[in-house]
Amino acid sequence: MNEIALIQQTQSLIAAGDIVGAEAILVDLADKEGDKALMVVLEQLPPKDILAVIREYDPSKDSVINMLISPEQFARAVVIEKRYKDLKHVHLRGMVNSIIFREDADPIEFLQALGDLEGGSEALANYFADKWSRVEAFARTGNFDTMEDDGQMMSEQALLASAHVRPVLQHDEVADNDWMELAWLLRYQCPDLFCEMLLVLRAKALRGEDAPGDDEDEAEESDGKVETGDTDRGRITQAAIDPDEESAI
């Protein structure tokens, strides 16, 4: 199959909601012609179609697409993920973790690419939506324990002034390939983006948008890992996407 025909077939399957079938075609291309051939095709797919594939994160297996996507392709896809209207942001957390923390990746390159795009800080705010109080505590105290925080929010000026403080927690103490590590990297490696993200997250919380909650109120403390067993893995949920937006289906 030539390159143009393969791209057209992949897009047709995505438009039909058959994400598993679309991914299978791309995986088969990599198996037969190598990673470089797949990378060439990924460069020609629009962000909405790349997003449709990578957001179907399956922790039980590695995805060759997630392993090969570039920081720029990742960022362009992530900033439009909000079109899916996934209020719990389960898919967003899963795909971000699986790509940013992949074995050969430099997480900072992906974060910087995201920060360079309009909507990047909002996408990160959505990622941290249900961790708002703990991220606020981290910004103020350097720890994620809200018990150590006095409940006051730092001003924007104070946030910027604290950008280069010495870490209270060391990187290896939060190296969980999940939200704590991402928050740590943002604060100490991309401080400007961390401040932007937190201000957006705070504004969303104060507006009641996405209803970000305090996971300390849960009866049992979660381990912070993404659970995707009850998601629509491999298929796109039609009702979850804003019909007024251009989407992958």
Side-chain angles (χ1 to χ4, degrees), residues 21-124:
E23 183 175 15
I25 288 178
L26 297 174
V27 170
D28 185 62
L29 173 65
D31 289 342
K32 291 180 177 178
E33 300 186 30
D35 291 349
K36 289 185 178 179
L38 175 57
M39 292 171 71
V40 170
V41 169
L42 290 178
E43 289 174 356
Q44 298 180 65
L45 284 174
K48 66 184 178 64
D49 289 337
I50 290 180
L51 172 63
V53 176
I54 65 174
R55 78 185 298 270
E56 298 302 316
Y57 168 66
D58 183 350
S60 68
K61 65 182 180 69
D62 291 330
S63 166
V64 66
I65 292 90
N66 286 24
M67 294 300 293
L68 294 178
I69 189 172
S70 71
E72 291 74 21
Q73 291 167 339
F74 166 79
R76 289 194 293 269
V78 168
V79 296
I80 61 174
E81 200 275 342
K82 63 184 179 181
R83 297 178 181 179
Y84 281 81
K85 303 298 184 182
D86 176 12
L87 297 182
K88 293 185 177 180
H89 305 297
V90 173
H91 288 272
L92 176 63
R93 284 263 306 278
M95 74 172 182
V96 168
N97 290 348
S98 67
I99 293 173
I100 283 184
F101 295 118
R102 72 192 191 196
E103 187 174 347
D104 66 335
D106 178 358
I108 304 306
E109 290 184 0
F110 286 88
L111 292 174
Q112 289 175 338
L114 198 51
D116 287 340
L117 289 183
E118 182 179 354
S121 57
E122 181 183 3
L124 287 169

Side-chain angles (χ1 to χ4, degrees), residues 172-217:
D172 59 1
E173 296 181 79
V174 294
D176 60 353
N177 288 359
D178 201 6
W179 69 273
M180 283 190 183
E181 184 171 8
L182 189 59
W184 192 98
L185 291 171
L186 278 169
R187 183 177 183 189
Y188 298 117
Q189 301 295 322
C190 306
D192 290 341
L193 182 56
F194 177 76
C195 292
E196 291 177 13
M197 178 280 297
L198 185 53
L199 291 173
V200 174
L201 177 58
R202 184 181 293 172
K204 283 175 171 286
L206 296 178
R207 290 196 304 265
E209 186 175 330
D210 290 349
D214 185 352
D215 58 1
E216 296 294 331
D217 292 335

Side-chain angles (χ1 to χ4, degrees), residues 120-131:
S121 57
E122 181 183 3
L124 287 169
N126 288 337
Y127 174 96
F128 289 108
D130 65 343
K131 306 297 180 183

